[in-house]
Each structure stands twice: as C-alpha cells, then as structure tokens.
Amino acid sequence: MYSEEQLYSIALRECNLIGDINFLKLVRTFGTAKNAWENAKKEYNKVDGIGRKTVSEIGNPTYLEFAENELKFCENNKIQIRLRHLNQLPRLLNECDDAPAILYQKGNFDDSLEMVSIVGTRNMSLYGKQFIQDFFEETKSGNYISVSGLALGVDKEVHEQSIQNQIATVAVLAHGFHTLYPAKNRKLSEKIIENNGALFTEFNSSRKPDRENFIQRNRVVAGISPATIVVETAFGGGSISTATFANNYNREVFALPGKITDKYSQGCNQLIFQHKASAISTIKDLINSLDFNKSYHKTEELFPRSEETIQLTENQKIIYNSIIENPQITLDDLAQKISLPSHKILPIILELELLGKVKSYSGRQFAAI
C-alpha cells in the first residue's frame, strides 16, 4: 500500500521546474509534499531561491493524475518507492546534495552492507574482463554489494561475476521500470533480483532511456558507494562522468591503468595522471585500499592543461555565459534562468567540464574556470 506522501511527491517532482534540489527546499519549508503541493504556489516567497515561475505548475491536476497512475504501475510491478526527504535513500546517497528526490526499487537491498561501484566501457577488452574476474574471485568471501549500470561490457560482466560468486549486486537504470535497456540484459536483470540484488532508478515509467539520463544515472552509481573503480574507458567516456561525480562527493576513485596506445585505457590513464583516481597496481593492494569509511582527498593537478581556443556550440555558449554571470549557480536555478529542463542541461555541463570550461561542486553548483 502506498502513502499519500508518495502520491504528492511524484506529482510535485513531475513539475518541469521542480528538480531534486528545489523539491527538497519545498518539502523542508512546508513540511510535507502534500503541504507543498497545496500551498507553494501562493506562498512561494517563504522558500529561499524559489520564484513565481518555478512554482507555476504546482497544483496542476494533470500531474496528480499522473502520480495516481504511477502508484498503480508500482503496485502492479512490485516497485518500492524511496523518498529522500523521509531519509529513505541508501545512506551514502542520502548524503549527496543533489541526490534524487525519489528512488524506485525492485528487489532486495541491505543498506547495512558496504558497497563498491565498478564501471567501464561497453567495449571491454580481455584485459578488463580478466581484471573483473580476478577481483570477484579474490573477494567472493566478502560481505559487500557491487554496483554498476547494467550496460553491456564492463557493467554486464560486473553483475554476472557478482551473481556467479554469490555477491549481491545493484543495477542503476537510466529509465523507468516500464522498459529495460539494453534489451539484451533483461534476463540478467531478472537474475539480479533472483539472487538477492536490486534494480534502482530515479526515473518514473514515463521516462525512456534518453542520452542525458545516463549521466544523471551515473551520479547515483557514484553517490551510493564509498568507492568507485573504473575498469576501462576512453577519453570522455561515460565512466569519466561517474568518476567526476565520485570526486565531487569526496569518494575514493580507483582506475585500472593500461597501455597508452589502448583506446579504452586512455581515460583511466588520464584520471590517474590528473590525480582524480588512484592507480590499481595489484588486486591485493586494491582490496587493502578499499577502506569504505575514509574520505577521498583530491590533490592538486601536477600538470594542468594548457590554455587553448575552443569553439563552443550555441547551447554550450548559452549555458557557459549564464554560469559566468552567476557564479555557483545551481542546476535548478540555471534551468529556470535559461528555460531549459535540467536533464537537457546536465550533459552540456559535463561537456563544458571535460573541455575545462566549467567546474562542478557539491549540490549541483557550477562555476566557470
């Protein structure tokens, strides 16, 4: 049976300009999602940083009807609903300033166990595959949970090796539970649940696996664990964003080094070179280093990139100029300022970050470099 608070939380979060951070501001000010739904539109001035435009869609019965249908969908598909403002998220994820307001779950999840996130390219090599197999062989007697993104390649191998070695595993999805992407991993997703694991997503059943969702998904993969291991990735690969989020959350990051001529080792080598990840020398040393309670302290880059002229796209220019004019602006405020949904802005922010134009801070705040 689902609660009234879950109903109004889904309706409130569905409003276009109510991102995770604004959602939290509203429920903290008004006490509950229902109170925010009923009062925020006329009393928005009570909330710091919230304007009339932000609350313009609150109270729209269409969103409440959507939430009712979403609850029916969750009931029919045995989906649990975790609300951040009720402290129901996984404990480490709950510490992240930009954690999802709502997290949907299928399967079992033991929050008392330690976790380690393991990510990498879809184009996994034999070198990467052997590393994953060796890691799980050495840790199969451990009592922990592995976390990955259920993609092909490294993610798939992580989940499969977890199941083979009787390690519970969590897959974080980039879409709602109405579908499964990639479809090839549907049976694997079922095995994860059958073997005491779980599937998580912050996306409701209206959300398809759009490109920008994968970057949002990666922050959950990074935030849920005290440590992230990057197995193989190219320059600018999706796993770089996961490592970036982990760094911003002051979490441990480890990267598997490889030949400088190997495309899918170049991203790992770059992370190590820029002191954004510790190099993995041996499996034994890695296991000894996985102190899940120790914060990761970034060191300054020894070899900062030289300045070069970069031609920005039109959208990159709009977002970059807005960040220059508004230092430390949040994602929600940026979305309101340029009238673009936050899920469309996030991948462009990452592109600017990889270009060395923007720096991200905790709480989804950004500043121009």
Side-chain angles (χ1 to χ4, degrees):
M1 193 67 183
Y2 297 101
S3 68
E4 189 177 61
E5 188 65 4
Q6 290 170 331
L7 173 71
Y8 284 96
S9 293
I10 294 171
L12 188 63
R13 184 60 183 84
E14 188 64 10
C15 298
N16 279 327
L17 295 178
I18 307 299
D20 295 314
I21 293 172
N22 280 341
F23 178 97
L24 196 59
K25 286 181 181 179
L26 288 166
V27 294
R28 282 178 172 172
T29 299
F30 293 100
T32 66
K34 182 182 180 181
N35 287 343
W37 180 262
E38 294 175 343
N39 299 295
K41 199 165 185 177
K42 57 190 175 189
E43 300 179 30
Y44 64 87
N45 56 350
K46 288 184 176 180
V47 190
D48 184 44
I50 297 286
R52 185 188 300 273
K53 185 177 180 181
T54 304
V55 300
S56 61
E57 293 189 348
I58 295 178
N60 186 330
T62 302
Y63 294 127
L64 204 55
E65 183 180 350
F66 171 86
E68 289 172 351
N69 290 330
E70 192 66 17
L71 289 184
K72 291 176 184 176
F73 173 82
C74 290
E75 185 173 11
N76 291 337
N77 291 277
K78 298 179 180 178
I79 297 167
Q80 301 175 52
I81 302 173
R82 293 172 173 259
L83 302 180
R84 183 191 179 187
H85 66 284
L86 298 184
N87 295 316
Q88 294 173 344
L89 297 191
R91 53 191 167 85
L92 287 178
L93 183 60
N94 199 56
E95 295 174 0
C96 303
D97 291 340
D98 59 351
I102 303 170
L103 195 65
Y104 300 93
Q105 173 187 332
K106 291 185 77 171
N108 299 310
F109 175 73
D110 186 349
D111 204 14
S112 67
L113 296 180
E114 297 292 2
M115 281 168 278
V116 58
S117 295
I118 309 175
V119 297
T121 178
R122 290 168 173 77
N123 299 290
M124 177 182 59
S125 71
L126 290 175
Y127 171 59
K129 183 173 184 177
Q130 189 63 55
F131 166 79
I132 295 168
Q133 292 176 348
D134 291 347
F135 176 82
F136 280 99
E137 176 64 29
E138 292 297 319
T139 60
K140 63 183 179 183
S141 60
N143 199 18
Y144 70 96
I145 298 172
S146 71
V147 180
S148 200
L150 201 65
L152 299 175
V154 167
D155 292 13
K156 182 174 184 285
E157 188 69 22
V158 167
H159 296 307
E160 288 182 340
Q161 287 298 317
S162 298
I163 293 169
Q164 185 175 319
N165 289 282
Q166 298 182 317
I167 300 292
T169 187
V170 165
V172 186
L173 309 180
H175 51 75
F177 278 125
H178 62 297
T179 188
L180 198 288
Y181 179 86
K184 290 180 180 179
N185 282 347
R186 182 172 294 280
K187 286 188 177 179
L188 176 58
S189 71
E190 294 169 356
K191 285 184 179 180
I192 288 172
I193 294 174
E194 290 169 3
N195 287 271
N196 208 35
L199 308 179
F200 279 134
T201 183
E202 63 183 296
F203 301 105
N204 60 47
S205 64
S206 72
R207 299 294 296 275
K208 300 176 182 178
D210 295 326
R211 180 177 177 270
E212 58 267 16
N213 293 356
F214 289 88
I215 295 175
Q216 277 193 249
R217 180 274 307 276
N218 291 348
R219 89 186 192 290
V220 176
V221 173
I224 202 171
S225 299
T228 292
I229 299 170
V230 184
V231 178
E232 289 181 304
T233 188
F235 286 127
S239 298
I240 299 295
S241 70
T242 310
T244 299
F245 284 123
N247 273 276
N248 290 340
Y249 297 145
N250 286 323
R251 305 293 168 78
E252 294 274 5
V253 180
F254 300 92
L256 181 67
K259 294 179 181 178
I260 61 173
T261 52
D262 289 349
K263 178 180 178 181
Y264 295 103
S265 286
Q266 289 171 350
C268 289
N269 293 342
Q270 183 187 42
L271 287 171
I272 295 165
F273 174 74
Q274 294 179 336
H275 300 279
K276 294 177 180 178
S278 298
I280 298 171
S281 55
T282 66
I283 298 290
K284 181 179 179 182
D285 287 343
L286 172 63
I287 295 170
N288 290 336
S289 297
L290 287 175
D291 180 356
F292 295 102
N293 296 314
K294 180 179 68 177
S295 295
Y296 176 69
H297 299 284
K298 282 174 59 178
T299 58
E300 291 296 322
E301 293 185 17
L302 294 177
F303 304 96
R305 292 185 181 182
S306 58
E307 286 293 319
E308 55 182 307
T309 303
I310 299 170
Q311 191 69 32
L312 300 181
T313 65
E314 192 61 34
N315 281 339
Q316 286 174 340
K317 286 178 184 176
I318 292 171
I319 292 173
Y320 181 59
N321 289 335
S322 295
I323 293 173
I324 289 176
E325 295 168 4
N326 303 275
Q328 301 292 317
I329 191 171
T330 67
L331 180 62
D332 289 340
D333 290 340
L334 184 59
Q336 182 178 343
K337 186 169 289 292
I338 64 176
S339 299
L340 197 65
S342 58
H343 68 272
K344 297 284 187 184
I345 296 174
L346 197 59
I348 300 174
I349 290 283
L350 180 64
E351 290 167 3
L352 290 170
E353 192 167 4
L354 293 174
L355 289 171
K357 307 292 285 184
V358 166
K359 182 173 178 60
S360 300
Y361 296 89
S362 61
R364 282 193 179 181
Q365 292 182 315
F366 309 104
I369 299 175

